Amino acid sequence: GTALQPLFKMSYSCSKVGDPHPGQPYKGGQFCAFLPDNREGQKTATLLKKAFEHGLTFQIKSCNGEERVTWGLIPHKTSWAGGKTSNGYPDAQYLKEVGKVL
């Protein structure tokens, strides 16, 4: 099979995009997603980068009384394994599905 490569890994602690309570403190986190290292995966990475630049990758949600940064509505593969139910591979339809969302 084709090797998987990290898409991005970042600490995220400051954004106003989708903030339900502007001015309130919120918790960031580390986010890592993976794409196949092939032409279709690289094309998807370019689209995901554009989505990130437009503030569409993350959102801020209330969770147990705490504001925190979470993934937005664009699906990302966050695990090497576990299949679709665990946001991992294998998932033969992922690139097609994320392409429609993007």
Side-chain angles (χ1 to χ4, degrees):
T2 304
L4 301 175
Q5 298 295 323
L7 172 59
F8 53 72
K9 186 170 185 177
M10 56 181 289
S11 295
Y12 206 86
S13 60
C14 184
S15 173
K16 292 298 176 191
V17 176
D19 189 346
H21 300 100
Q24 296 295 314
Y26 53 85
K27 188 173 184 175
Q30 292 240 333
F31 299 87
C32 188
F34 304 92
L35 287 171
D37 187 12
N38 59 27
R39 185 180 304 175
E40 194 174 358
Q42 292 168 6
K43 178 181 175 185
T44 302
T46 299
L47 294 174
L48 287 170
K49 182 180 179 190
K50 287 181 182 179
F52 174 79
E53 290 168 351
H54 284 88
L56 302 174
T57 303
F58 298 101
Q59 59 188 345
I60 299 172
K61 286 187 176 178
S62 294
C63 182
N64 298 326
E66 179 182 63
E67 303 296 310
R68 60 185 314 131
V69 175
T70 64
W71 290 109
L73 299 177
I74 300 168
H76 288 77
K77 290 296 180 184
T78 58
S79 175
W80 294 108
K84 189 172 185 171
T85 58
S86 298
N87 294 323
Y89 293 97
D91 182 353
Q93 297 302 309
Y94 172 67
L95 293 177
K96 182 184 274 188
E97 290 172 1
V98 75
K100 287 180 185 176
V101 172
L102 291 167

